[in-house]
Amino acid sequence: MKFIAFDVRDDEKPYFQAWAKQNKIEVTLDSGVLDERTLKKTTGYDAVLALQTRSYPEGMFEFFKKQGIKVLSIRNVGVDNLDLTAAKASQIPVTNVPAYSPNAIAEFSVTQLLQLLRQTTIFRQKIAAHDFRWAPFIGEELRSKTVGVIGTGRIGKAAIKIYQGFGARVIAYDLYPDPKLKSQGIYVPTLAALLQQADVITLHLPATAQDCYLLDEKAFSQMKQGVYIINTARGILIESKALLAALKNHRVAGAALDTYENENSIFNMTYGHNHLMIRFWLNCSFSPMS
């Protein structure tokens, strides 16, 4: 068996090499992404391994079928950037990571909120400028907040436990409520009810056409003044222009985004500050599903 793996970091190479030796499989490691320019590199292999959030080449699965490639395995959870219809038509199985560590992502999302509430970024900037005055900035306590969790899968449930540990009031919304959580009485009947009650809104759901722009201009208008937004899920859940407007009019007091719409062009890349900001603004003007 011969595999080729794309987007392999230096720190990952020992793991690939150990796995290949243990399973007696030849694995070629490539640090580049799988795109139109590198697609031909897959010729002669039995399987392709990849890790990327950007779009894959058009006609890729048809090419794989012609080359005798038997499977595409992605080291991601989400498959929204793959043409699964083409994969099925070409009879190329696609495998993915079943789940990342729910606790790791949940802890990270809570950490982002704590930084907003305690205004740590502002204070770091002040200290770097040798300004040791704390006024007029005052931190807020998480235990005094109502946290609205949208999406109560494995990550959402882990986040709920953490927020409850801080003493916060937690409410949740999910089209498919978890029976154990439902017995705690934390679910609200509608998304609008959560938006109206929550001091903090944190997103923990996948990217689907149904949930595209879940938080849009209308949704922000239903929120409390001074709400905090946390998104460690998928970028297209939030309409960027609507969020920026809500930040400017102070409907949203702060937002922590681990992801945003059309992030693929900068994911795992490095840019100068001005170039990055230009790309951000341009991306935010695109269609969310482009």
Side-chain angles (χ1 to χ4, degrees), residues 62-63 87 105 110 129 158 165 168 182 192 198 203 219 221 238 266:
E62 184 178 353
F63 179 84
I105 300 172
V110 177
K182 193 172 183 179
L203 303 176
S221 71
I238 298 178
I266 67 168

Side-chain angles (χ1 to χ4, degrees), residues 157-229:
K157 287 197 285 283
I160 287 171
K161 289 182 180 180
I162 298 172
Y163 284 120
Q164 290 174 331
F166 274 92
R169 173 181 176 243
V170 179
I171 58 176
Y173 176 75
D174 197 307
L175 288 175
Y176 307 97
D178 180 271
K180 291 184 179 179
L181 289 179
K182 193 172 183 179
S183 66
Q184 297 180 23
I186 69 171
Y187 283 107
V188 292
T190 64
L191 176 61
L194 184 143
L195 299 179
Q196 293 162 8
Q197 296 180 43
D199 301 304
V200 175
I201 295 172
T202 180
L203 303 176
H204 300 287
L205 61 165
T208 64
Q210 181 180 10
D211 293 324
C212 178
Y213 283 176
L214 183 73
L215 300 188
D216 56 10
E217 184 179 358
K218 179 181 178 181
F220 284 114
S221 71
Q222 297 175 351
M223 298 176 191
K224 284 184 175 182
Q225 193 74 16
V227 67
Y228 290 95
I229 305 295

